[in-house]
Amino acid sequence: MGNSSSKTDNVVGSEVPDSPEKAILRGKSHSTANISPSITCSSTSSGTNLKSDSKLSRSASGADVTEKYLTQLVPIEKLAVILKEKSVKLGINGIASEVFVSQVFPHYADLGRRLFTFLHLNSRATTTYLGTMAFRQQCERFLGIMDDAKVLECYVKMYAQEDNPDFIDKEGVTRLLHICYTIAMQHSGNSFVCSEINRTFSSVTKSIFFSQDSMSLGYVCRWFEQNLMRLVLLIHKYCVHTLSTAYRGLEQGAPSCGIELQTPVLEQRNPFTEKSARDADDASSSLMPLSQAWLLAGALPPSYSKPRQVTSPSSSKASAAQIFKEKLSMMPSHWTLLYNSNEHGLGANRFLHHVLGYRGPTLILIHAENDQTYLVAAPGEWKETHLYVGGEGSCVMQLLPKFVILEKKPNILYLNTRVRGYPKGLRADSDPRKPIISIDEHFEKIDIKGIAHIKEAERQRTVKLTAADWMDHPDRFLLELGGRQNYNN
């Protein structure tokens, strides 16, 4: 979404020939009045006082009764006409909720019902359906929202409690996350199910609600704005696209099918699955489930999850719809595994060998005791130095059991194994005296918030090697020099 913009509805009097108001508006006003076509009032004042006695009212079906102009959004006008024709067959002189859901959002019925309810509440209609004019008004206003914070507020409201619309509970947030994930992961009309999706969503709800059953809409909006803003903006792009293009399929007699979103990460094996799990196709043993990768793609800057380069229509036959699909996808298509202590062995030398020299953004996952998972995000190349480095986008997060951004600012990353007189190891935090994460120079001990987390360091330092690998391994030659000629296990 773009930058926020404000809209001012100026209510002015209708001009009457040779009236004092006309002289005032033209002769004494030095500013240009922007006349809103959707709100007009008649003035019955006399002399120099402009006072409106008429009030804006609505019809029972939710339309502003003073609405006289034709909509400028032709797709919405055509969609309203088609939906009304189908609703009339059901005996409803307007647009029914079930028709809107079945024709515009057939694959996402819950989202369609919540969107229609949102439009219905904003119209303040007293009927169960929406009049054609009210439907057009509310759709245009919905599509005209340009401020990201307002967009977020709309969707949080959609998933609020029915009996207490000023609050939202864990189920509502979970449903919002689920529809965001489903739409983002859609591929050829089918949603990809992650076995760890409930655990991923639970980490978010634990972070938002603590021990509370529900929270205010304002608090939840601020939390999403600070942590997962991009996820909700993605679903708004989908809804805007669907409302703007649904009439095309309906004119041909077929319900709207939305769009097929690209999920490039599904075209290859999960790069975060351990080697043993890849051989057995066991998704539960993955180092990072796809749902967690999706969550990170929404929390981290776009540089970490930049999708594949979109081909220009001028150089190929790519359509505008295809380009839109690729832009709408948030799943990373280029993440690859650089280092895994279970496969490559635990140690500073092994870490440096696999990580140093890579100049792109990197994510370091740290699995500690009690199923705690932390992440250190570096937007650029790692370098050994006694100084704290890291550009915009440097971040320290807790992924499990709660999803929490612990630190997000430049110059919070530290890696030193050579410079004497300075702390050795890897650190992450803006305070060098109390780092959030501290790994010693041998990569055997991990301190998180001052608490030691040792997780079978000796076991992880042992690497299983085949006979062929052991013949060329440097440790074999060192052991033989030490007199262990027959050491081959």
Side-chain angles (χ1 to χ4, degrees):
M1 309 307 296
N3 298 328
S4 61
S5 61
S6 60
K7 178 181 178 182
T8 303
D9 291 330
N10 299 287
V11 182
V12 298
S14 60
E15 296 186 4
V16 181
D18 301 327
S19 66
E21 291 86 343
K22 180 177 181 181
I24 292 174
L25 291 175
R26 292 185 176 179
K28 294 184 179 182
S29 176
H30 298 286
S31 61
T32 303
N34 296 322
I35 302 177
S36 175
S38 60
I39 304 179
T40 58
C41 297
S42 299
S43 174
T44 57
S45 61
S46 61
T48 58
N49 295 323
L50 291 176
K51 180 179 178 181
S52 175
D53 293 333
S54 61
K55 296 182 179 179
L56 182 66
S57 59
R58 294 175 181 270
S59 64
S61 60
D64 296 341
V65 296
T66 54
E67 182 78 40
K68 298 298 182 182
Y69 76 103
L70 293 178
T71 177
Q72 296 179 355
L73 297 181
V74 176
I76 298 300
E77 183 181 6
K78 292 183 177 181
L79 178 62
V81 172
I82 296 174
L83 295 180
K84 183 179 180 180
E85 291 177 353
K86 295 182 178 295
S87 299
V88 168
K89 296 179 181 179
L90 300 178
I92 298 175
N93 188 24
I95 297 176
S97 173
E98 57 269 27
V99 173
F100 175 81
V101 173
S102 62
Q103 300 299 316
V104 184
F105 291 90
H107 299 299
Y108 305 106
D110 183 65
L111 175 62
R113 282 191 293 268
R114 292 178 184 273
L115 178 55
F116 185 88
T117 301
F118 177 80
L119 300 176
H120 187 274
L121 289 175
N122 286 342
S123 69
R124 299 196 293 273
T126 58
T127 58
T128 58
Y129 58 90
L130 271 176
T132 306
M133 189 67 70
F135 176 80
R136 289 162 51 186
Q137 290 174 355
Q138 297 305 320
C139 283
E140 289 185 4
R141 291 170 184 172
F142 181 76
L143 297 179
I145 301 176
M146 302 300 295
D147 181 69
D148 291 347
K150 293 293 184 181
V151 170
L152 177 62
E153 181 181 352
C154 290
Y155 287 91
V156 174
K157 282 183 178 180
M158 289 183 198
Y159 287 84
Q161 294 177 320
E162 294 183 3
D163 56 345
N164 194 358
D166 293 331
F167 287 81
I168 185 172
D169 54 22
K170 294 181 181 179
E171 182 181 359
V173 171
T174 301
R175 287 180 178 273
L176 176 59
L177 291 172
H178 191 273
I179 189 61
C180 292
Y181 173 81
T182 303
I183 290 180
M185 295 298 296
Q186 181 186 0
H187 184 72
S188 299
N190 298 317
S191 299
F192 186 86
V193 178
C194 174
S195 60
E196 297 292 319
I197 191 171
N198 292 332
R199 191 183 186 192
T200 300
F201 291 168
S202 177
S203 68
V204 176
T205 56
K206 287 179 180 178
S207 179
I208 295 176
F209 293 95
F210 303 100
S211 59
Q212 303 294 325
D213 295 329
S214 62
M215 300 295 289
S216 66
L217 298 183
Y219 174 83
V220 176
C221 285
R222 288 191 297 271
W223 191 94
F224 270 92
E225 190 172 357
Q226 296 172 2
N227 297 275
L228 297 173
M229 183 74 160
R230 297 174 59 212
L231 297 184
V232 182
L233 298 183
L234 180 71
I235 189 177
H236 184 62
K237 290 181 180 179
Y238 177 83
C239 290
V240 169
H241 176 85
T242 302
L243 289 175
S244 303
T245 60
Y247 76 95
R248 299 175 183 173
L250 294 175
E251 286 181 337
Q252 299 176 0
S256 171
C257 295
I259 54 177
E260 297 179 1
L261 305 185
Q262 299 294 315
T263 52
V265 76
L266 298 182
E267 298 173 3
Q268 55 184 335
R269 289 182 179 271
N270 183 357
F272 307 105
T273 303
E274 296 188 46
K275 184 177 181 180
S276 59
R278 286 199 300 266
D279 297 338
D281 292 331
D282 184 7
S284 62
S285 301
S286 61
L287 297 177
M288 179 184 289
L290 288 176
S291 58
Q292 197 172 75
W294 163 79
L295 201 65
L296 285 175
L300 295 172
S303 58
Y304 288 93
S305 56
K306 188 176 181 180
R308 294 178 302 181
Q309 184 177 1
V310 179
T311 306
S312 174
S314 60
S315 59
S316 67
K317 296 182 179 179
S319 63
Q322 290 173 333
I323 296 176
F324 179 79
K325 294 175 190 177
E326 295 193 7
K327 287 184 177 180
L328 197 58
S329 176
M330 189 179 293
M331 285 303 299
S333 60
H334 59 287
W335 286 5
T336 184
L337 184 63
L338 296 178
Y339 168 77
N340 179 5
S341 61
N342 291 335
E343 292 187 15
H344 305 112
L346 184 61
N349 291 334
R350 292 184 174 94
F351 174 83
L352 297 176
H353 172 74
H354 289 87
V355 176
L356 288 186
Y358 182 78
R359 299 182 179 181
T362 56
L363 305 176
I364 298 179
L365 288 173
I366 302 173
H367 299 277
E369 296 173 337
N370 301 323
D371 292 330
Q372 297 186 58
T373 303
Y374 293 84
L375 177 135
V376 178
E381 179 182 3
W382 280 93
K383 295 182 180 179
E384 281 201 89
T385 176
H386 65 288
L387 302 175
Y388 276 79
V389 297
E392 293 288 342
S394 301
C395 185
V396 184
M397 306 172 62
Q398 180 183 15
L399 303 183
L400 294 172
K402 292 183 178 181
F403 183 85
V404 183
I405 297 179
L406 302 174
E407 192 76 86
K408 190 176 183 180
K409 61 172 62 175
N411 301 325
I412 62 174
L413 307 177
Y414 178 92
L415 178 62
N416 175 34
T417 62
R418 297 179 180 179
V419 183
R420 297 180 180 179
Y422 292 89
K424 299 292 184 65
L426 187 151
R427 295 187 173 191
D429 197 357
S430 57
D431 187 356
R433 296 169 298 180
K434 297 180 180 180
I436 297 176
I437 294 179
S438 176
I439 304 176
D440 73 321
E441 59 181 311
H442 304 295
F443 276 52
E444 295 179 353
K445 298 180 180 180
I446 301 175
D447 290 341
I448 299 176
K449 298 181 180 179
I451 303 176
H453 292 262
I454 301 173
K455 190 176 182 181
E456 303 180 69
E458 291 299 325
R459 182 189 67 82
Q460 294 194 34
R461 293 182 65 184
T462 303
V463 183
K464 295 182 179 180
L465 300 174
T466 64
D469 294 334
W470 177 246
M471 292 301 296
D472 296 328
H473 200 277
D475 289 350
R476 171 178 172 270
F477 298 102
L478 293 176
L479 291 171
E480 290 180 354
L481 289 175
R484 300 289 298 274
Q485 299 293 331
N486 297 325
Y487 187 89
N488 57 4
N489 294 322

